[in-house]
Amino acid sequence: MTTDLRGLQPQHPTLYQLAPDGESLEFFFAQCPACRKLVFPANVPGCSHCGDPLHGAEKVARPGGGKLLEYVTLHVPLLPGMELPRIAADILIEDGLIEEGVIAGTDESALRVGMALRAVGVAQPGGETFACRFVPVEGAAR
């Protein structure tokens, strides 16, 4: 992944933004004013840890990534127009926060449960937006 995505818009601008390197993504979290833990996405109505309503919560950008918990290759489209095959995964993105994500590529042989992943932008058809995809962190212990 060496495409510089500067100039493209995020497909989901409330969830992530392009990092300064032009490839990696930063996720938007809210820091709970009550328990000080991070919640995702930043625009959720309440803290998933303590239940605080998050009024006045600080929005925090952090490098996107996480730990691979489990994955499956999809061969049947779940949505109209979905490209197949596609690897869907559960990813621990922050302590206590598990999100579903899409792994870049279609080769499961490079994946291991517990491996570190980083979020990168992938240009979408039409060339106006980029989506979030996860890739193994190079050199990460498996």
Side-chain angles (χ1 to χ4, degrees):
M1 312 245 153
T2 58
T3 305
D4 189 331
L5 301 170
R6 287 178 265 243
L8 301 183
Q9 296 299 310
Q11 193 172 41
H12 299 286
T14 60
L15 302 180
Y16 53 82
Q17 69 183 2
L18 199 58
D21 69 6
E23 177 187 32
S24 300
L25 299 181
E26 295 176 337
F27 291 164
F28 294 127
F29 294 89
Q31 185 158 30
C32 177
C35 70
R36 306 301 300 159
K37 292 187 178 183
L38 295 177
V39 295
F40 182 85
N43 60 354
V44 295
C47 178
S48 57
H49 302 284
C50 74
D52 185 82
L54 296 178
H55 298 302
E58 179 184 355
K59 185 175 174 181
V60 178
R62 294 275 170 88
K67 182 170 101 173
L68 181 61
L69 299 177
E70 61 185 350
Y71 58 92
V72 63
T73 298
L74 303 174
H75 296 280
V76 176
L78 301 177
L79 302 167
M82 183 174 158
E83 292 182 30
L84 297 172
R86 175 178 283 194
I87 302 174
D90 284 340
I91 301 161
L92 180 67
I93 63 167
E94 180 68 33
D95 186 33
L97 298 176
I98 298 170
E99 290 293 323
E100 294 176 355
V102 177
I103 304 294
T106 58
D107 182 9
E108 284 187 1
S109 69
L111 302 176
R112 302 286 178 270
V113 169
M115 74 185 314
L117 301 172
R118 72 181 181 106
V120 297
V122 174
Q124 295 302 285
E128 296 177 8
T129 63
F130 60 86
C132 176
R133 297 293 182 263
F134 290 87
V135 297
V137 173
E138 295 178 22
R142 293 183 179 206

